[in-house]
Amino acid sequence: MVVSCVFQLSNPPDKTEHQTVTSLEQRITNLGAKKKGDFCVECSYYSCNLGTSSKVIHVLSNSEQPVTCFIVAESGNVLIADNMFFMVMSKLAPTYEEKKSQKIECRGSRFSFGDFLIKVGCVFQVSTVKGILVEVEYQPAVVLKDCWGLLKEFVEEFFGANPDFDARIAHCKDGALFHATDIIQQYLDKFNLYRNMAPIAFKSFNK
Amino acid sequence: MSSKSSARRSTCSLIRLEWNRLAMIRSQMVLSFSRRRKALLLPVPSLCKGFRVGALRPQVGGTFEVRKVDLEEGRTTRSSTLEVILPSDLKGTASISAKIECSRDLMKVLNGRCNPFRPIEKSPPWQVQLERAQSIFQLKGLFAHLSQEALHSEGRLVPHQVLENRIICQLFPHVCLVLELHVDRNEIEGNPAVDEPAVERNLLTYTLEALLAHYQRKMVQGSIGLHPATAPLLMSERRRKAGPLCVSREELLDMVENESRSLLDQAIDIAKHMYLRKRVVTVIDEVTQHVKELHVICNAQSWSTAMMSTLRIMLTPNGYDALYRNLLLVKIGTDDVEVTCKNEMKTVRFQPDLTDFANFLKNQVNQVRVMGASVFTRLLNWTLLSSLTTYDSHLQEQVATVLLGSPDHKRVVSISACPSREPVVFVQRWSGEETASSHSALVTNLQWQLLGGQFNRCDLSAVCGRTFLHQLELVLCGLMAETGSELVHNGHS
């Protein structure tokens, strides 16, 4: 499993998100990176009303793991299942209703630059552009603490952004392997920001 | 009294008659065969139907008979009371032989026979006979499947050849794999589990046996014994687990590609790898067998599969392991050999021909000799003046040479090494040995008088020392002394 960080990119007021993404892709290509296809991370929102309380489930899928889907509950529990779990959710439709207005996704292009994989994508919520997310993967590493400095420097040098990861670093055990759920957690945190919802603390595997 | 005894005698004879009738048990059985499971015997009502075995295509029919032997018939030597009567085409033993032949050298590189369905040693005789009959069917079915794949394979420069019970596939130019089905109809007397003919076993046969057994198990599970918990559900177990294990896109593509490969292609890849592995080991042995001054350690790494192996070669000067070492990691695949040189931080790929690999290895050996000597002499305070690698057109190989200067700046020694001979030491004549007659009248400047003379070869056979570095140490120490000139042999350089 690779180590990656996901961060938001601010959009200048005089440009649209598409123009910003296009210029950023041009800069990445000029740096010497090669385009390696597209990526997509989707998040569906299911809620169940039980009288006074309601239960929420987020179902995420990442094109990097094409046959996997991640189910995150409000309590922070994560279930990793096959892609056919969506059919299970459709069977639970009377109880867990999908809120299509809350469905959010990030789509964009992937670029390979040496040991790094850079993904630049626009965030859409029901065809409305919400912002720009960038994911930078460092492929040779599997432990976050070993390569965090390198990742942070790369992101700050090239993108001028600060990948706010220090809190996650503090909770990581020494030598804990980076998992796909860590990437999903980062995406979900950003998606919840765009949805104006509170972040969820994952009860994940290696921490 | 006599009437009672006669009545008892008649009753006993009646019982004996009934026992004889019951002793002739005829039934049709369907045998679900697995090497690790006990044979399951299920009664089938009809006596005339043929039995079907696993997932063999086409279906093979036949009947066999299992009889209960009456011990009173005098066959007390038998260990079991069941006797199996097989038709003639089910008797004997079967195996598939795998040979890798190199037509250039006219030699068989690897040769062996495999039968993944051999009966277990301690089984009862009737089970061994039934399992042997089963193995004949299964091997015939597998061989027929391999023949079909060989006939219908596309996209190859040299097509596969199928000749009756033989399949010939080309692995590399001049190297081919020959798969042959052997059926020995001679019935084995005595203990059938022990008296099977001994066959040559090697890693190729073990791997092919595992492949054939895995394929047969997959086919059998696919057609019989479907259960909701274990049924394949149109995909393999590995593919089903791919989702919860967060398998990436590249791993998924590899999985799909591997699963769609035919049985014959997998067998060919295994054979290619075994051939390359054997050739690499042979080349390493040939290159290093005459190298006395180096310590060569070659280990196979634990992360090896049927189609990929890794070797670790460590070259160190003999007796001076901590002085200098060269580490080579050799990764043997199916189509090429990749060598990573740790000292030079480079990776080189070699073709299956391995001529370039042999030359590369010889040059690495050469390098260790020369660099080991230069590192050693630096410990004795000698200075490395220059290091040169040239191509000798006469020897047709690379020659590495280092030039070393003594601590007192009066002596220069040259060490030259090439793969085909042992290292040679040349010593420059000492400027102090020059006599007045050797000075030219034209050259009067003092600086020219301090130049050294010609290089003379040093006869290392006259020097004591177990290894080259021991001898070199003595030579250098002797040169440092005032009377170092006796060691210089006045031969041609």
Side-chain angles (χ1 to χ4, degrees), chain A residues 38 63-68 80, chain B residues 239 243-244 246-249 252:
Chain A
D38 298 324
S63 58
E64 293 300 311
Q65 288 91 35
V67 293
T68 307
I80 305 175
Chain B
R239 169 64 186 82
C246 301
V247 166
S248 68
R249 195 189 292 187
L252 203 61

Side-chain angles (χ1 to χ4, degrees), chain B residues 206-217:
Chain B
Y206 281 126
T207 318
L208 283 178
E209 270 185 12
L211 177 70
L212 293 175
H214 172 74
Y215 186 82
Q216 181 69 18
R217 202 176 314 128

Side-chain angles (χ1 to χ4, degrees), chain B residues 33 35 51 53-58 60 89-98 112-119 130-149 164-167 179-185 196-197 199 201 205-217 219-220 263-264:
Chain B
F33 179 76
R35 200 161 173 207
F51 63 89
V53 176
L56 281 181
R57 304 281 183 270
V60 182
D89 58 337
L90 291 180
K91 288 182 181 173
T93 55
S95 62
I96 292 181
S97 72
R113 286 198 187 185
C114 58
N115 179 6
F117 314 115
R118 277 191 307 276
L130 286 174
E131 288 180 1
R132 276 226 184 91
Q134 181 81 26
S135 74
I136 290 176
F137 276 120
Q138 289 182 325
L139 283 177
K140 279 186 176 176
L142 281 170
F143 197 81
H145 183 78
L146 286 169
S147 308
Q148 290 295 314
E149 285 179 353
E164 287 188 17
N165 61 340
R166 187 188 274 201
I167 302 172
L179 296 170
E180 197 168 342
L181 176 68
H182 298 271
V183 179
D184 186 5
R185 295 286 179 205
E196 272 200 36
V199 294
R201 309 293 301 280
T205 53
Y206 281 126
T207 318
L208 283 178
E209 270 185 12
L211 177 70
L212 293 175
H214 172 74
Y215 186 82
Q216 181 69 18
R217 202 176 314 128
M219 293 299 292
V220 169
L263 181 63
L264 184 65

Side-chain angles (χ1 to χ4, degrees), chain B residues 26-59:
Chain B
R26 289 173 178 257
S27 61
Q28 290 285 335
M29 294 183 227
V30 172
L31 185 69
S32 173
F33 179 76
S34 165
R35 200 161 173 207
R36 295 180 184 271
R37 287 182 290 173
K38 287 183 185 175
L40 301 174
L41 303 177
L42 304 171
V44 173
S46 170
L47 291 175
C48 301
K49 273 189 182 172
F51 63 89
R52 192 178 302 176
V53 176
L56 281 181
R57 304 281 183 270
Q59 295 173 9

Side-chain angles (χ1 to χ4, degrees), chain B residues 85-379:
Chain B
I85 300 165
L86 296 166
S88 59
D89 58 337
L90 291 180
K91 288 182 181 173
T93 55
S95 62
I96 292 181
S97 72
K99 283 180 269 188
I100 299 179
E101 295 174 343
C102 184
S103 58
R104 201 188 307 172
D105 305 332
L106 293 175
M107 61 178 245
K108 288 177 191 169
V109 178
L110 278 168
N111 183 18
R113 286 198 187 185
C114 58
N115 179 6
F117 314 115
R118 277 191 307 276
I120 305 169
E121 277 188 18
K122 292 183 183 172
S123 305
W126 60 267
Q127 187 171 345
V128 169
Q129 281 184 284
L130 286 174
E131 288 180 1
R132 276 226 184 91
Q134 181 81 26
S135 74
I136 290 176
F137 276 120
Q138 289 182 325
L139 283 177
K140 279 186 176 176
L142 281 170
F143 197 81
H145 183 78
L146 286 169
S147 308
Q148 290 295 314
E149 285 179 353
L151 287 171
H152 295 115
S153 67
E154 292 171 2
R156 293 188 67 90
L157 285 174
V158 178
H160 304 310
Q161 298 173 42
V162 180
L163 306 164
E164 287 188 17
N165 61 340
R166 187 188 274 201
I167 302 172
I168 303 172
C169 313
Q170 194 194 39
L171 303 177
F172 301 113
H174 308 291
V175 181
C176 60
L177 169 71
V178 179
L179 296 170
E180 197 168 342
L181 176 68
H182 298 271
V183 179
D184 186 5
R185 295 286 179 205
N186 296 327
E187 205 168 344
I188 296 168
E189 298 295 334
N191 190 346
V194 174
D195 294 336
E196 272 200 36
V199 294
E200 185 185 333
R201 309 293 301 280
N202 51 44
L203 197 57
L204 175 67
T205 53
Y206 281 126
T207 318
L208 283 178
E209 270 185 12
L211 177 70
L212 293 175
H214 172 74
Y215 186 82
Q216 181 69 18
R217 202 176 314 128
K218 205 169 67 168
M219 293 299 292
V220 169
Q221 280 176 356
S223 64
I224 58 172
L226 288 175
H227 188 276
T230 57
L233 286 176
L234 302 176
M235 58 178 74
S236 66
E237 189 183 347
R238 202 170 160 211
R239 169 64 186 82
R240 267 184 291 140
K241 288 182 181 174
L245 293 178
C246 301
V247 166
S248 68
R249 195 189 292 187
E250 289 78 20
E251 286 170 14
L252 203 61
L253 282 172
D254 279 342
M255 197 192 301
V256 168
E257 193 185 305
N258 285 339
E259 283 176 5
S260 64
R261 293 176 69 239
S262 65
L263 181 63
L264 184 65
D265 285 339
Q266 292 181 56
I268 288 172
D269 281 344
I270 289 171
K272 276 184 177 178
H273 172 68
M274 293 299 162
Y275 170 76
L276 274 183
R277 193 171 153 148
K278 195 165 170 75
R279 283 282 298 143
V280 163
V281 170
T282 309
V283 164
I284 292 171
D285 284 340
E286 281 171 0
V287 168
T288 57
Q289 65 178 347
H290 297 303
V291 175
K292 293 173 195 168
E293 64 277 5
L294 289 190
H295 193 206
V296 181
I297 303 169
C298 183
N299 293 325
Q301 301 293 292
S302 57
W303 51 83
S304 298
T305 62
M307 300 184 204
M308 196 271 292
S309 307
T310 315
L311 293 177
R312 189 168 172 267
I313 306 173
M314 177 105 65
L315 303 166
T316 55
N318 204 356
Y320 297 90
D321 298 344
L323 199 66
Y324 182 81
R325 57 178 63 179
N326 195 359
L327 181 62
L328 301 173
L329 282 177
V330 182
K331 188 174 164 189
I332 308 167
T334 53
D335 292 313
D336 56 18
V337 174
E338 190 181 290
V339 180
T340 304
C341 184
K342 290 291 188 183
N343 282 8
E344 296 166 26
M345 301 296 288
K346 69 178 182 184
T347 302
V348 189
R349 277 182 191 271
F350 297 103
Q351 296 300 315
D353 191 25
L354 294 185
T355 315
D356 293 336
F357 174 67
N359 291 337
F360 175 81
L361 203 56
K362 286 176 188 172
N363 288 329
Q364 291 298 313
V365 165
N366 213 25
Q367 201 70 17
V368 172
R369 282 167 166 171
V370 166
M371 293 309 295
S374 71
V375 169
F376 177 72
T377 50
R378 264 183 269 163
L379 290 177

Side-chain angles (χ1 to χ4, degrees), chain A residues 81-141:
Chain A
D82 193 80
N83 220 7
M84 293 205 284
F85 190 83
F86 284 103
M87 293 164 59
V88 174
M89 291 307 296
S90 65
K91 297 292 179 191
L92 296 174
T95 312
Y96 276 96
E97 197 183 326
E98 185 184 0
K99 294 269 176 76
K100 293 208 189 285
S101 59
Q102 296 291 337
K103 184 170 180 179
I104 194 166
E105 62 182 15
C106 176
R107 287 181 180 276
S109 307
R110 301 161 82 231
F111 297 89
S112 168
F113 180 54
D115 288 334
F116 292 93
L117 192 69
I118 305 167
K119 296 179 210 170
V120 181
C122 277
V123 180
F124 297 92
Q125 185 174 1
V126 197
S127 71
T128 310
V129 179
K130 288 289 191 175
I132 302 170
L133 282 182
V134 179
E135 181 187 348
V136 176
E137 275 184 19
Y138 183 58
Q139 291 171 322

